[in-house]
Amino acid sequence: MRLFSALVVVILQAASVLASTCLQQQLGDSLSFPDDTTYNATVSSFWSIQESTLRPACVLRPATVLEVSKALEILSDSVECEFAIKGRGHAPAAGFANVNGGVAIDLTALSSVSLSQDSSMASVGAGAKWLDVYQHLDGSGVQVAGGRNGNVGVGGLLLGGGISHFTTKVGWGCDNVVNYEVVLANGTIINADKTNHPDMFLALKGGGNNLGVVTRFDLATFPQGNISTTTITYSISQSAEVFEAFTKLIESSNYDPLASLITSLLYLSATKTWRLSSSAVYTEPVTQPAFYDELFAIPHESLVNNIISLAEYADEKDTFSFNWLFATTTLKPSAENMQKMFDTLNSTIYSFNPEGGVTWSIALEPLVAAMLPDSGDRDILGLERACPGFIVLISALWPNSTANSEVEAKARSVLSAWEADAESKGLLQDFQYLNYAAPHQRPLHSYGKDKLGFLKLTSEKYDSARILQKDVGGFKL
Ligand SMILES: Cc1cc2nc3c(=O)[nH]c(=O)nc-3n(C[C@H](O)[C@H](O)[C@H](O)COP(=O)(O)OP(=O)(O)OC[C@H]3O[C@@H](n4cnc5c(N)ncnc54)[C@H](O)[C@@H]3O)c2cc1C
Ligand SMILES: *[C@@H]1O[C@H](CO)[C@@H](O)[C@H](O)[C@H]1NC(C)=O
Ligand SMILES: *[C@@H]1O[C@H](CO)[C@@H](O)[C@H](O)[C@H]1NC(C)=O
Ligand SMILES: *[C@@H]1O[C@H](CO)[C@@H](O)[C@H](O)[C@H]1NC(C)=O
Ligand SMILES: *[C@@H]1O[C@H](CO)[C@@H](O)[C@H](O)[C@H]1NC(C)=O
Ligand SMILES: *[C@@H]1O[C@H](CO)[C@@H](O)[C@H](O)[C@H]1NC(C)=O
């Protein structure tokens, strides 16, 4: 009841746009207000400046699924109270997991991890980060398919798809979810699996935050020991050779199911320097995986290999206090086109150096056969229509917020030049990976008409009042 009355006050204030004084109420333990330590902790834990600059009227940190249920019951009953659903806050765009004036539901307290008796399934609280999961499973002999960077949230990553080091072996992260505990918009708690609420089960495998608030994911495990990680850096003058080798790998008919590759271009505007590197992970403890021979054979500046546990490798430092953007496209293989893309990119950003500088990173990630299902019932991503190729993640980070619109415009102009060019050569694919997409992109629409239609029907069935469509930010249907 205390939680209830406190929320009602906040809702009344938010609705009447009087969020300035969130009064001295008898608060539920899970609710906090501007300048409270817990409020501050949530707001400052977003990965991008754009997200952490938003100021919710209050933060709710539910400690149990029942509190999530109660909160949604209240929120869906109130008149247009905006709210946000936050996992680990790694979506860079403003308003995706935070909100100005409304209620930010921070799920990070729901972060328990447990392994079933027979080790076949890990149950993970939706607010956990991947490092929590890997560390819990470390030494058990099994692991799960999740984020490569351990700070990333379980919730966001799995609801948008999920590329892991094991994608080539087990498909998308979401393909490995066997059950979801979900709180519907009206507060009802359900479990969705293959037989119970199968439509919800399917829709959550790529549907983002449009179906409900997931509170727990049950994930299929697989046997896993230490992995091999190799970082190779090249001079930018080797780009043609690297693009050639990368293309050969993704075109090879028997892509090694143990390989996990990212090739990246990095540009520092302050010094006008390019860097080129590959992160060639192999999910068995093999020092020189033969699959990568061609990449290793290219003259390089450095090559560092480690045999390491997944938990240790995922334990990266977070890079806070930057503005960030993500944007994405998906292409068919062509080394020649990659070189052309590089030239377009260089000519667009070479001389652009806003105050404080900007760092661009272009990650090229194989879209391999294991990510492309034969039929449409494994997830909602629509990839049965796609062909092998690669996913491109454009990201940029910069410290000075006055440059935001200029950086965004540059990214947009690079992306549209790439897409127009690829389209004319028949190399453009429809798919836009939701977790890498810019706010102006339409990843859910990129899944195809049928998939979008199914998502809309499922949303209407489970959220007929359209609460999650109207009151919650992110990619909408
Ligand atoms: C440093 C870094 C590394 C990354 N590495 C990878 C990678 O290896 N593989 C990959 O596939 N992606 C990767 N990503 C992208 C990542 O998947 C997305 O940024 C993802 O959205 C992050 O999830 P989150 O829970 O941390 O983010 P949040 O910003 O908290 O949430 C993202 C979106 O999901 C929604 N959401 C979160 N949890 C729930 C829930 N329980 N119920 C309903 N909706 C929810 C939110 O409302 C929001 O719209 C990376 C991103 C970063 C910044
Ligand atoms: C919360 O953050 C604000 C603004 O950064 C700061 O002024 C305030 O002292 C912080 N409060 C607490 C309790 O940490
Ligand atoms: C796995 O790697 C870790 C370092 O991350 C090391 O401490 C451990 O001994 C390795 N385990 C095996 C079985 O080789
Ligand atoms: C990028 O463009 C600049 C300016 O046109 C040119 O001087 C430079 O050589 C280019 N860099 C690369 C690596 O092609
Ligand atoms: C940000 O950029 C603006 C305009 O370019 C400049 O006036 C300002 O000093 C910069 N701020 C910081 C903190 O660098
Ligand atoms: C909440 O929504 C679900 C799905 O539409 C419905 O089955 C259930 O009856 C609703 N519960 C309440 C209390 O309205």
Side-chain angles (χ1 to χ4, degrees), residues 34-40 55:
D35 288 349
D36 287 350
T37 317
T38 41
Y39 176 99
N40 279 8
R55 284 283 170 270

Side-chain angles (χ1 to χ4, degrees), residues 11 27 39 55 63 66 84 109 137 146 183 222 252 270 274 285 364 434 443:
I11 288 158
L27 304 177
Y39 176 99
R55 284 283 170 270
L66 289 174
L137 298 178
V183 180
F222 45 81
S252 82
W274 280 104
L364 309 165
L434 184 144

Side-chain angles (χ1 to χ4, degrees), residues 37-376:
T37 317
T38 41
Y39 176 99
N40 279 8
T42 289
V43 170
S44 62
S45 71
F46 288 98
W47 187 61
S48 75
I49 292 179
Q50 292 102 316
E51 272 286 61
S52 59
T53 304
L54 303 184
R55 284 283 170 270
C58 70
V59 166
L60 178 72
R61 272 206 204 215
T64 63
V65 59
L66 289 174
E67 283 192 356
V68 177
S69 161
K70 187 82 206 164
L72 286 188
E73 199 186 315
I74 297 164
L75 287 164
S76 61
D77 256 359
S78 72
V79 187
E80 294 186 11
C81 179
E82 290 189 5
F83 64 101
I85 309 162
K86 175 188 171 288
R88 288 289 168 161
H90 273 62
F96 274 52
N98 199 4
V99 60
N100 256 337
V103 180
I105 303 178
D106 184 349
L107 297 170
T108 45
L110 299 175
S111 60
S112 71
V113 186
S114 66
L115 182 61
S116 67
Q117 198 101 60
D118 67 357
S119 294
S120 68
M121 191 179 85
S123 293
V124 180
K129 58 180 176 177
W130 286 104
L131 188 61
D132 299 333
V133 183
Y134 302 150
Q135 286 179 339
H136 184 91
L137 298 178
D138 202 19
S140 73
V142 298
Q143 275 295 353
V144 291
R148 290 160 296 192
N149 178 317
N151 295 310
V152 171
V154 168
L157 184 128
L158 287 178
L159 289 169
I163 304 177
S164 70
H165 288 305
F166 311 100
T167 303
T168 41
K169 193 163 70 175
V170 299
W172 292 84
C174 66
D175 299 343
N176 293 276
V177 182
V178 295
N179 178 64
Y180 299 85
E181 181 185 74
V182 198
V183 180
L184 304 180
N186 67 8
T188 300
I189 304 168
I190 64 168
N191 275 273
D193 64 16
K194 251 190 172 139
T195 45
N196 303 297
H197 306 290
D199 46 1
M200 173 62 87
F201 182 62
L202 183 59
L204 286 169
K205 293 171 181 275
N209 66 8
N210 290 295
L211 288 315
V213 177
V214 176
T215 44
R216 195 189 75 235
F217 297 85
D218 295 332
L219 307 174
T221 64
F222 45 81
Q224 184 61 47
N226 279 354
I227 63 174
S228 163
T229 68
T230 306
T231 305
I232 325 167
T233 62
Y234 311 92
S235 151
I236 193 67
S237 63
Q238 303 290 345
S239 62
E241 286 87 337
V242 172
F243 296 155
E244 197 70 52
F246 180 86
T247 303
K248 266 197 184 161
L249 285 180
I250 57 182
E251 280 179 332
S252 82
S253 52
N254 48 347
Y255 196 95
D256 194 324
L258 301 175
S260 164
L261 173 67
I262 307 178
T263 291
S264 305
L265 288 157
L266 197 78
Y267 183 69
L268 310 167
S269 77
T271 53
K272 288 189 162 41
T273 43
W274 280 104
R275 287 186 200 149
L276 178 59
S277 65
S278 281
S279 160
V281 169
Y282 201 73
T283 58
E284 262 177 20
V286 176
T287 306
Q288 278 247 351
F291 180 69
Y292 293 127
D293 276 351
E294 293 213 28
L295 274 176
F296 295 164
I298 299 167
H300 44 263
E301 292 170 342
S302 68
L303 186 155
V304 180
N305 174 269
N306 284 300
I307 305 292
I308 187 172
S309 71
L310 183 66
E312 203 169 319
Y313 191 55
D315 194 0
E316 293 184 42
K317 271 216 182 71
D318 232 340
T319 31
F320 284 109
S321 309
F322 288 106
N323 295 285
W324 280 93
L325 74 73
F326 277 2
T328 189
T329 186
T330 304
L331 301 172
K332 293 177 190 169
S334 160
E336 195 190 329
N337 187 52
M338 288 172 93
Q339 191 61 40
K340 174 79 193 301
M341 288 168 71
F342 174 58
D343 293 339
T344 304
L345 175 66
N346 183 48
S347 61
T348 312
I349 64 175
Y350 187 76
S351 303
F352 171 58
N353 184 32
E355 186 96 32
V358 47
T359 300
W360 295 89
S361 155
I362 313 300
L364 309 165
E365 307 190 25
L367 178 69
V368 297
M371 299 163 85
L372 311 174
D374 300 327
S375 67

